[in-house]
Amino acid sequence: MEQETEIPKNEKNGNPGRRRLFSFLRVALAVFLIWIFITYVDFGEVGKLLTSINLFYLNLIILLTVLDRYLMAYKWAMLLRARGILISNFEAFKIYLASGFVGTLIPIGLGADIFKLARTVKAGVNLGKVTASIIIERILGFLAIEILAVAGLSILIFSGNSQFLEL
């Protein structure tokens, strides 16, 4: 029987010098990004765009995005639990949000997966189990996209749109 592993809520890095270096790098990156933002953004144009936003649709987009991320994190947490790794839905959600941010910095979607892997392995979880959960999650996502694509194409064809009949 496999032993269950729980991901701790807060774990400490063992090397204080390394923590200071990463803190410095984070602050330096933040200052650099703020400088770029202040230098290159036309705030007059931003103000015009912000006043033209329909708040109902903005809130709807935010709600749907958060719901999407939560459901993705929930799916991943279920896959981890199936491998004997105890993780709360909230902890998985936090990791998923952070991995989404990292995924914007590293292309091809690998950044998010690498972050999820590193974050959970750092907490003492078996590398193979986490890797398997991420691969299965990717496969499930690919299958979901394929099902939606076929369903959408079918709707277009059956609604009389003849340009897609060849597909």
Side-chain angles (χ1 to χ4, degrees):
M1 181 164 198
E2 294 185 36
Q3 183 180 0
E4 294 182 343
T5 308
E6 186 171 354
I7 295 178
K9 296 195 187 309
N10 291 322
E11 67 283 335
K12 302 273 185 193
N13 280 343
N15 187 344
R18 185 175 171 182
R19 273 189 284 165
R20 270 188 245 122
L21 175 65
F22 281 122
S23 294
F24 173 76
L25 289 175
R26 279 185 258 179
V27 169
L29 179 62
V31 168
F32 178 69
L33 291 174
I34 290 169
W35 175 79
I36 288 176
F37 181 75
I38 291 171
T39 305
Y40 292 103
V41 171
D42 180 1
F43 288 103
E45 189 65 30
V46 171
K48 288 178 192 175
L49 287 173
L50 288 176
T51 57
S52 69
I53 292 175
N54 185 330
L55 291 180
F56 172 76
Y57 291 117
L58 177 65
N59 288 327
L60 183 62
I61 289 168
I62 291 169
L63 176 68
L64 290 174
T65 302
V66 170
L67 180 63
D68 173 62
R69 292 291 122 184
Y70 182 79
L71 290 174
M72 292 174 79
Y74 178 76
K75 172 188 64 176
W76 183 55
M78 284 183 14
L79 289 169
L80 287 173
R81 283 189 214 113
R83 301 292 297 164
I85 300 168
L86 300 178
I87 184 171
S88 70
N89 291 334
F90 184 68
E91 187 67 23
F93 184 58
K94 288 190 319 186
I95 293 171
Y96 229 95
L97 289 178
S99 71
F101 175 74
V102 172
T104 62
L105 301 175
I106 300 175
I108 315 171
L110 290 176
D113 292 338
I114 290 169
F115 180 84
K116 287 188 294 188
L117 182 68
R119 171 60 180 81
T120 49
V121 168
K122 178 180 160 188
V125 177
N126 180 293
L127 174 68
K129 290 181 180 182
V130 177
T131 304
S133 74
I134 291 172
I135 291 171
I136 295 294
E137 180 187 19
R138 283 289 179 159
I139 291 170
L140 290 174
F142 177 74
L143 291 174
I145 289 171
E146 293 301 315
I147 290 169
L148 287 174
V150 169
L153 183 59
S154 299
I155 290 169
L156 285 173
I157 290 171
F158 290 122
S159 67
N161 197 334
S162 61
Q163 70 183 20
F164 296 104
L165 282 176
E166 292 179 21
L167 293 176

